[in-house]
Amino acid sequence: MLAHMQVTAQNCTGGSFGDPVTGSEDFGSGSNPGAALSTEQSNLTYQPDCNISDTEYTILNSVIGCHTEGWHNVLQDNTPDDVNGYMMVINATDRTDVSGTFYYKKISGLCPNTTYSFSAYILNLIRLDVDGPNAKHPDLTFSIELPGETLSTSTGKIGPTAKPEFHLYPTTPFCFTTGNNTTEVVLKITNNAPGGVGNDLILDDISFRAVGSPTTVRFSTTTDTRQEICAGESTSYQLNATVTDAAYQNYQWQVNRGTGWQDISAADNATANSKVFSLSINNAVAGTYKYRVGVAQAGNLASVNCRIYSEPLTITVNPLPVANAVDNIEFCEGETITVTATGGVRYEWNGPGLPANAPALNIPNATPANSGIYTVTAVSDKGCPSIPKSVTVKVNPKVTATIAAIQPICESDN
């Protein structure tokens, strides 16, 4: 080992993490089968389907009806939101020398003097109901290499499960800190278990992420991390960041409107690069909006590989309900005027003869004076009011009946 280590390893818990760095591997997405990896990434033999033998692998978005005597059916990869996401399906073997490492990846663009975590998701393909004393369990070693030094950790035996389950490995967070000139590391994954029955696995979501001391954000007026408003409202919030690591003092606020995280430009708000972000919302559009802050050491903020992020604050803009009721309706004098609306959990009626914001339109013994235009506002379970709906009510007056005097006549007259 070098006298001046370029990388040091440690366990890390309770911190804040960055997004997966460039070069992290989720194997992409698409229709079956996926393309083979380069020969530099794996020395196993690629096959285009999942009926693979020892020393072979494939890239698929699902594993169904393969090795039916013992394999799980796996309907999707580790990330449910990743439509048709690929995963690496492996029929491993006992090849534990360096040349037998079955997965290799060079991770570039790292930042010097920055701590990173490594993790991957593994699924044991063998079903619990067919496991036995002769079945082989996957047992992997993850190695992170730099010239002169290798850091490694192992999964131990990965047991079978009753249903297909991805599990995160290493089970204890595995982190390393780069040296002054370290911008690149090499990941190698080696299989330690023998070939034969079992030792079949899926590898997915290999991730390197920057990690640092906890970074938190809050609304200035509450400890709640969620706020709700109604569509069309205008309001403002002050978002505050707390960074516990003095080395991380460069800030970048981000917003996620449902299509991924985006930096908020300082040109849009003068505080987008400070601990305090003043957020103004005008004529809010329905949707869910998340805000977080990314922090990095001096000079590293421009690289997303160097940032760590807070957990997000969420602002939900609730849609307005739509009030529904008849447009025109007629009653007779003396009847009870009753009109029902739909579209909300409660209603506010206004019009002739009603108190302000009456909960219902119900007027007994109606008179023509009750004729007119009434409005109803539906209010949602979130307290959001609809656009008022107009209802025209006409009360028809009573008819006065008259009878002409009866004139006497004689029998047999017309």
Side-chain angles (χ1 to χ4, degrees):
M1 186 176 293
L2 297 178
H4 298 286
M5 294 189 298
Q6 291 295 303
V7 174
T8 58
Q10 66 273 336
N11 292 328
C12 50
T13 57
S16 293
F17 290 82
D19 292 336
V21 305
T22 305
S24 294
E25 182 69 86
D26 65 1
F27 300 103
S29 62
S31 58
N32 281 331
L37 303 176
S38 72
T39 55
E40 292 183 351
Q41 279 189 267
S42 181
N43 63 357
L44 300 181
T45 302
Y46 172 79
Q47 295 293 343
D49 60 58
C50 60
N51 289 305
I52 51 178
S53 302
D54 279 2
T55 75
E56 295 180 341
Y57 80 98
T58 189
I59 303 294
L60 299 173
N61 62 38
S62 62
V63 179
I64 301 174
C66 299
H67 291 281
T68 55
E69 71 281 0
W71 277 20
H72 287 295
N73 284 329
V74 184
L75 304 183
Q76 60 189 28
D77 72 344
N78 177 61
T79 311
D81 293 338
D82 186 8
V83 179
N84 292 329
Y86 287 136
M87 47 197 165
M88 185 178 183
V89 184
I90 302 158
N91 195 329
T93 186
D94 183 18
R95 300 175 63 182
T96 58
D97 61 305
V98 173
S99 63
T101 297
F102 71 83
Y103 184 85
Y104 172 101
K105 182 82 178 213
K106 183 180 291 184
I107 307 297
S108 304
L110 303 181
C111 296
N113 302 313
T114 301
T115 300
Y116 291 90
S117 70
F118 161 78
S119 64
Y121 281 88
I122 308 293
L123 183 149
N124 185 343
L125 273 166
I126 300 299
R127 303 195 311 269
L128 180 62
D129 64 308
V130 299
D131 186 52
N134 296 322
K136 311 301 188 297
H137 296 162
D139 184 351
L140 309 179
T141 293
F142 305 114
S143 300
I144 297 171
E145 296 186 354
L146 204 73
E149 184 172 13
T150 298
L151 310 171
S152 63
T153 184
S154 296
T155 63
K157 292 184 178 180
I158 300 173
T161 54
K163 60 182 180 179
E165 296 178 4
F166 281 97
H167 290 280
L168 183 67
Y169 292 93
T171 54
T172 301
F174 180 58
C175 297
F176 61 93
T177 301
T178 56
N180 293 332
N181 300 308
T182 304
T183 59
E184 181 179 278
V185 298
V186 172
L187 167 68
K188 292 182 178 180
I189 305 178
T190 304
N191 174 50
N192 302 315
V197 178
N199 197 18
D200 306 322
L201 65 133
I202 295 177
L203 173 67
D204 199 14
D205 289 336
I206 301 168
S207 177
F208 286 83
R209 303 166 67 191
V211 59
S213 298
T215 297
T216 59
V217 290
R218 65 178 180 85
F219 294 102
S220 61
T221 58
T222 178
T223 58
D224 193 350
T225 60
R226 295 177 176 272
Q227 296 286 294
E228 295 190 36
I229 59 175
C230 298
E233 285 188 28
S234 297
T235 188
S236 61
Y237 297 97
Q238 184 170 286
L239 313 185
N240 296 269
T242 300
V243 184
T244 57
D245 191 337
Y248 287 79
Q249 294 298 319
N250 289 82
Y251 308 90
Q252 177 60 64
W253 288 90
Q254 292 188 318
V255 62
N256 187 337
R257 298 180 175 90
T259 57
W261 290 101
Q262 301 291 328
D263 285 352
I264 298 173
S265 172
D268 297 334
N269 194 301
T271 60
N273 299 112
S274 70
K275 284 186 178 181
V276 178
F277 174 43
S278 297
L279 171 64
S280 296
I281 299 176
N282 297 308
N283 194 22
V285 177
T288 299
Y289 304 86
K290 296 184 177 183
Y291 295 85
R292 69 179 184 181
V293 68
V295 297
Q297 298 181 51
N300 289 340
L301 189 65
S303 173
V304 294
N305 289 349
C306 306
R307 299 179 187 175
I308 60 175
Y309 293 99
S310 66
E311 291 297 313
L313 298 172
T314 301
I315 299 173
T316 300
V317 181
N318 295 305
L320 302 184
V322 177
N324 295 297
V326 295
D327 293 324
N328 300 283
I329 190 167
E330 294 189 22
F331 296 91
C332 292
E333 184 177 357
E335 291 183 332
T336 297
I337 297 174
T338 301
V339 180
T340 301
T342 61
V345 297
R346 64 182 179 87
Y347 304 91
E348 297 175 353
W349 287 90
N350 289 280
L354 286 179
N357 299 325
L361 178 50
N362 188 286
I363 303 174
N365 299 316
T367 69
N370 297 127
S371 297
I373 296 176
Y374 293 79
T375 61
V376 59
T377 299
V379 182
S380 71
D381 60 341
K382 300 297 183 179
C384 297
S386 70
I387 296 173
K389 161 73 175 177
S390 295
V391 176
T392 299
V393 174
K394 182 179 180 181
V395 179
N396 296 306
K398 293 180 178 179
V399 176
T400 301
T402 60
I403 300 176
I406 297 176
Q407 301 296 322
I409 60 174
C410 294
E411 185 177 356
S412 299
D413 283 353
N414 290 330

